[in-house]
Amino acid sequence: MEISVVGNSDFVTGFRLAGIRKVYETDTTGVEPVVRAVLEDKDVGILVMHNDDVSKLPDSLQVLLNASVQPTVVTLGGSGEGSTNLRDKIKQAVGVDLWK
């Protein structure tokens, strides 16, 4: 399984430098088709996105991302209160709370 990152150039640069291979640099209008393509990629286990980019997606796609187990979607940054709790996403994906 691989990690995939979708976002603008400022967001994805650090991930690219860290060695993540599946990095998709997009502008605000091109996020949706890239996200749909990543969701269909069976090699992707974790999808990382900026919370602000997720909030701009259509509601149906946001629901799909929130319910997705594979890939597990992790959102970072932003000012919204809907930022994903990584502990809850790991619990959802694995089925147990690893911190207990």
Side-chain angles (χ1 to χ4, degrees):
M1 292 289 163
E2 294 192 51
I3 298 173
S4 181
V5 181
V6 176
N8 65 30
S9 62
D10 292 336
F11 182 73
V12 301
T13 299
F15 293 99
R16 188 175 281 135
L17 291 172
I20 305 298
R21 289 181 277 168
K22 294 196 174 213
V23 175
Y24 303 96
E25 188 175 319
T26 63
D27 57 8
T28 55
T29 59
V31 174
E32 182 180 354
V34 173
V35 170
R36 291 189 186 277
V38 170
L39 288 175
E40 293 177 9
D41 187 346
K42 298 299 179 195
D43 291 333
V44 175
I46 299 174
L47 169 59
V48 180
M49 292 183 66
H50 195 279
N51 193 43
D52 293 343
D53 289 338
V54 172
S55 66
K56 294 175 186 171
L57 293 172
D59 291 339
S60 59
L61 188 53
Q62 287 183 34
V63 169
L64 183 63
L65 291 175
N66 286 332
S68 179
V69 173
Q70 186 178 351
T72 298
V73 180
V74 177
T75 58
L76 302 172
S79 57
E81 55 190 60
S83 184
T84 303
N85 182 340
L86 182 57
R87 181 177 181 174
D88 290 339
K89 293 304 269 186
I90 292 172
K91 184 177 176 183
Q92 178 185 6
V94 176
V96 295
D97 189 352
L98 298 176
W99 277 273
K100 286 190 174 188

